[in-house]
Amino acid sequence: MAVLPTISTSCIVISALLVAYGWYLISRRRVEAHKKVMLTAAVFALLFFTIYMSRTLFIGNTSFGGPETVKVYYTVFLVFHIVLATVGAVFGLVTIWTGLKDQRGRHRRLGPVTSIIWFGSASTGVVVYWLLYVLYPGGQTTSLLKAILGF
């Protein structure tokens, strides 16, 4: 089992679960608890991103190791996940910013949309992990630095 991908995927799942709990808390008008939980969710998302980028730079990304007949579907799904995760991250930053700046009207409009995007991103991320490390053996791994600089 790949340790760093397992840890980073766990971080994004924890982040999504905390977002769901934060949503529950705000529905109960527990604003301060909501704020703490959502900021903790953001910390777990940032931890995921830090692990992912460090691994990408120094160890590398794992290529798809499944059958060629599935690879095109995996690639399309992966691109969808990356777009969803990027949009979710941008929405997340803006939503956090509006919450911290007490722009409640904008925050209330963005929050549910951001949460749904985040749930989609986390879910598709788990499927990518499952396809790369559980269902099929991982493919070759090359670090970004090695690929660019040759060492």
Side-chain angles (χ1 to χ4, degrees):
M1 176 170 54
V3 174
L4 288 178
T6 302
I7 293 169
S8 64
T9 301
S10 298
C11 286
I12 212 62
V13 168
I14 291 167
S15 175
L17 292 171
L18 288 169
V19 167
Y21 184 53
W23 208 355
Y24 168 80
L25 289 170
I26 203 61
S27 75
R28 300 290 185 258
R29 307 253 188 260
R30 296 181 53 198
V31 175
E32 282 307 309
H34 166 79
K35 182 178 178 179
K36 289 176 184 173
V37 167
M38 293 308 231
L39 289 173
T40 304
V43 167
F44 274 95
L46 183 60
L47 186 57
F48 157 81
F49 185 72
T50 302
I51 294 168
Y52 176 80
M53 287 310 297
S54 297
R55 184 174 185 274
T56 297
L57 286 171
F58 300 111
I59 299 170
N61 281 328
T62 304
S63 61
F64 182 68
E68 285 296 316
T69 56
V70 177
K71 188 173 185 176
V72 68
Y73 301 106
Y74 167 79
T75 303
V76 169
F77 187 80
L78 179 62
V79 169
F80 173 73
H81 165 69
I82 291 168
V83 170
L84 198 58
T86 303
V87 170
V90 171
F91 266 70
L93 289 171
V94 173
T95 303
I96 290 167
W97 180 260
T98 59
L100 292 175
K101 291 298 179 181
D102 209 27
Q103 298 173 0
R104 289 192 180 187
R106 190 170 179 208
H107 184 77
R108 281 187 193 128
R109 286 189 304 275
L110 284 172
V113 174
T114 303
S115 297
I116 290 166
I117 293 169
W118 201 246
F119 297 144
S121 173
S123 300
T124 57
V126 169
V127 172
V128 168
Y129 170 84
W130 184 72
L131 289 169
L132 280 179
Y133 303 103
V134 178
L135 186 60
Y136 301 111
Q140 196 159 11
T141 301
T142 303
S143 76
L144 187 60
L145 292 177
K146 184 176 181 181
I148 293 172
L149 303 174
F151 58 83

